[in-house]
Amino acid sequence: MGAIRASSRMATVPLNPPTSPLQRLLQLSHDLGREDRKLAILGEGNTSARVAADTFMVKASGSNLATLGAPGVTECRFSDLAALLKKKRLSDAAIDEALFAARVDPTAKKPSVEAVFHAYLLTLPGVNFVGHTHPVAVNQLLCSKFARTFAQRRTFPDEIVCCGVESVFVPYADPGLKLAQAIQRAVVAYIKRLARAPRVILLENHGLIALGATPESVLAATLMGTKAAEIFVGAAAINGAPRFLSAAQVARIAGRPDEHYRQKALGL
Ligand SMILES: [Zn+2]
């Protein structure tokens, strides 16, 4: 019976799920890069995975999510990139130099310029995988006056389950170091206020970041966030604005905040 069930589910669940961090990262990248999902095209988007306490793997610059292979992934040291977050002003050349210097293997490709925010997010408690995409449906809202509202409000229960009580909202920032610093500021404020881990970060005029313990949770948050965006746009088209769930309805689905998480994430 197990075999029958497995074969009927083959279209969505691989029979032999990948187990190494690299294989899981490649599978997540292929899932996010699927053309029919309209989450990323060409070289858009990037993914990362924690490998050890001091290193992580991130998509290399110029690679394609849909077809990503091992040579398109670069292992980097957290410490080299985390140090960048504290720098006030850094030239593009200096950032490039730091990206190259962070590689574990000096012959590996240059990591994505977004490796700095991946390094930061992968150091949050319980985060082992990060996926960043530019979904058409989500960007319809992030490139509109509804961007912040879409991040802060919820329209249906499964959106809360997969994407959290709110998404972190990050006002537009120049991709690279400035964006990584803006993400860090917004995530710290979110954890201070809500005492829980963010599942989704929304970047104004740019795209979506999902983070989680597993590739499955990153994919779920991305797909559900994209579905929520489609519903928001449809409801707004009919009615001018969606009917949002109330704060009490959101709290009922989400449960209590975790003080322990706040302390751990903020190093208190
Ligand atoms: Zn991007």
Side-chain angles (χ1 to χ4, degrees), residues 185-208:
R185 275 195 302 276
V187 168
V188 166
Y190 179 101
I191 293 169
K192 270 188 187 156
R193 188 164 58 85
L194 295 168
R196 58 184 95 215
R199 303 288 311 276
V200 171
I201 299 167
L202 296 173
L203 313 176
E204 187 177 33
N205 286 90
H206 182 159
L208 174 150

Side-chain angles (χ1 to χ4, degrees), residues 44-46 114 117 132-134 175 179 203 206-208:
E44 282 188 316
N46 34 66
E114 312 293 26
F117 79 63
H132 166 53
T133 50
H134 303 160
L179 177 60
L203 313 176
H206 182 159
L208 174 150

